[in-house]
Amino acid sequence: MSEENLIAALDIGVNSVLLLIVKRLDDNRVEPVLEYSAMSQLGQGLAETGQLSETSISRTIDAVKEMNSIIHTENVSDVVVTVSSSIRRAENRSEFLVKCHQVLNIYPQLLNSREESRFSFIGATYQLETTKPLVLIDIGGGNVSIVFGTKENISGGFSVEIGSLGIDEKFQISESSSQKSFNNAQRYIKEQLEPYVYDIKSWIKGKRPRIMVSGGTAVTLASIIKRLPVYDRKQLNMVECSSKEVNNWMRQIAKTPLSKRRAIIGLSPERGRVIPAGLLVLYTIMKTFDFERISITVEDIKLGILKNYVDRMPVS
């Protein structure tokens, strides 16, 4: 380990390339130090073609190179590289993984949906001091994970292919803000969630769990609510929001032309295209499972991956 015990998680998702650098403390806790993100939309067109396009691969490799440069500049000693489970669908995924290895000299771990859900839950709950029941909704570009339990014990969970990028492309939400497009998308999302309604509602009954949401859609929503022009994890963490507010923001942004969304404080230009679809996914989940209020967390899969990594390291 380096003198400052810095380790990093580089997570390559369908929408974004995300980097979290943490300091490993003496008691095996981890403390976030630096965080970076780049929108590369690796999964653009994947659902339709079954392939990662050369353009999306190139964009993503450029982002990986940028993150690798930061890793070296910050003298990070250990790096864990992961790739979203959604990329398993790509017929040419091996080509992409090899290119990542050539840049990083590390072969990325292609997560499965169970690992993704577990790491997301660990990360989101890591800094919470509570014994209350918890539900985590993690909205990615390709998949949505819903996990429930307590901080100490996961009771259950599932992953569904209703991520923001996938829904946007399937129903052309960014191209058409028509009510018909939204209705068709919402009907589809409900159909994908239907097999899990009984299990979730049965577990929740009488528990009054805290509902948490992680992922780019959620953090962007928190940024819009707080009107923050730049990312500030302390101000964004645990912002609360009602289902009515989610719906209102979704409709307001959707009716704003794409070229003018950059004027919305807190909404980055890169996120402007997919945010209506992401908010539609979140709103539909909240209505399907009767979640009235959510707490948005900036802690996500990256922190969970690093905590798992540290816990498995040999004691020095």
Side-chain angles (χ1 to χ4, degrees):
M1 298 289 287
S2 68
E3 185 178 341
E4 292 196 32
N5 291 337
L6 296 181
I7 58 176
L10 178 59
D11 184 54
I12 303 168
V14 169
N15 249 343
S16 309
V17 178
L18 305 170
L19 175 67
L20 176 66
I21 299 174
V22 303
K23 182 185 292 187
R24 180 191 179 194
L25 305 178
D26 291 339
D27 55 2
N28 252 20
R29 288 183 298 115
V30 293
E31 178 182 280
V33 175
L34 294 169
E35 191 169 7
Y36 299 90
S37 68
M39 292 281 289
S40 67
Q41 294 196 322
L42 176 62
Q44 189 172 44
L46 174 59
E48 182 178 354
T49 66
Q51 297 271 340
L52 301 173
S53 73
E54 290 302 319
T55 301
S56 65
I57 289 176
S58 178
R59 281 196 307 261
T60 305
I61 292 299
D62 285 345
V64 168
K65 288 178 180 177
E66 182 181 347
M67 298 300 180
N68 194 44
S69 177
I70 294 169
I71 288 168
H72 286 291
T73 299
E74 297 298 331
N75 293 317
V76 173
S77 62
D78 293 287
V79 184
V80 183
V81 184
T82 54
V83 178
S84 167
S85 65
S86 298
I87 303 306
R88 288 180 179 275
R89 289 175 280 171
E91 295 171 9
N92 59 339
R93 61 186 179 275
S94 295
E95 173 192 337
F96 171 70
L97 295 174
V98 167
K99 288 186 176 182
C100 286
H101 178 263
Q102 290 169 344
V103 172
L104 299 165
N105 202 28
I106 298 170
Y107 200 83
Q109 176 187 352
L110 182 56
L111 298 174
N112 60 45
S113 58
R114 179 170 293 186
E115 290 169 328
E116 218 163 42
S117 299
R118 176 170 162 264
F119 291 147
S120 294
F121 191 83
I122 292 171
T125 62
Y126 175 61
Q127 305 208 45
L128 291 181
E129 296 294 336
T130 182
T131 58
K132 278 191 66 172
L134 302 163
V135 176
L136 174 69
I137 305 165
D138 182 70
I139 302 176
N143 288 352
V144 170
S145 298
I146 301 182
V147 190
F148 50 95
T150 64
K151 180 177 177 177
E152 302 302 326
N153 182 49
I154 294 175
S155 299
F158 59 90
S159 180
V160 193
E161 293 180 5
I162 50 171
S164 57
L165 181 61
I167 292 297
D168 180 59
E169 290 188 342
K170 186 177 182 67
F171 296 95
Q172 299 183 330
I173 299 295
S174 60
E175 303 298 330
S176 169
S177 58
S178 70
Q179 191 61 48
K180 182 178 180 181
S181 295
F182 275 82
N183 288 345
N184 289 341
Q186 189 168 49
R187 188 178 304 112
Y188 175 81
I189 295 165
K190 286 181 177 178
E191 288 172 357
Q192 304 312 302
L193 294 171
E194 183 60 35
Y196 310 102
V197 171
Y198 177 80
D199 287 346
I200 292 281
K201 289 190 173 182
S202 297
W203 181 84
I204 285 173
K205 190 174 182 180
K207 288 186 173 67
R208 298 178 63 85
R210 183 175 193 174
I211 313 300
M212 301 171 63
V213 187
S214 62
T217 291
V219 175
T220 299
L221 175 59
S223 184
I224 293 169
I225 291 171
K226 299 288 285 187
R227 294 177 60 83
L228 289 179
V230 294
Y231 179 82
D232 185 328
R233 69 180 358 255
K234 289 184 178 179
Q235 289 196 59
L236 294 177
N237 200 33
M238 293 304 161
V239 169
E240 294 204 347
C241 186
S242 68
S243 60
K244 183 178 180 180
E245 288 175 289
V246 174
N247 188 39
N248 288 343
W249 277 115
M250 176 189 70
R251 296 189 179 282
Q252 181 177 328
I253 296 170
K255 72 181 181 182
T256 303
L258 190 57
S259 61
K260 295 183 178 180
R261 287 178 193 169
R262 65 178 63 246
I264 300 173
I265 299 174
L267 177 58
S268 67
E270 298 85 359
R271 188 67 66 170
R273 176 172 288 274
V274 298
I275 192 66
L279 292 178
L280 177 62
V281 171
L282 175 56
Y283 177 69
T284 305
I285 290 171
M286 293 179 74
K287 297 304 289 183
T288 299
F289 296 110
D290 300 323
F291 298 154
E292 180 51 37
R293 293 193 68 80
I294 57 172
S295 298
I296 296 169
T297 175
V298 299
E299 309 297 5
D300 56 18
I301 189 170
K302 302 184 299 299
L303 189 61
I305 288 168
L306 289 177
K307 180 55 182 164
N308 178 74
Y309 177 74
V310 165
D311 287 344
R312 294 173 61 186
M313 292 178 70
V315 178
S316 56

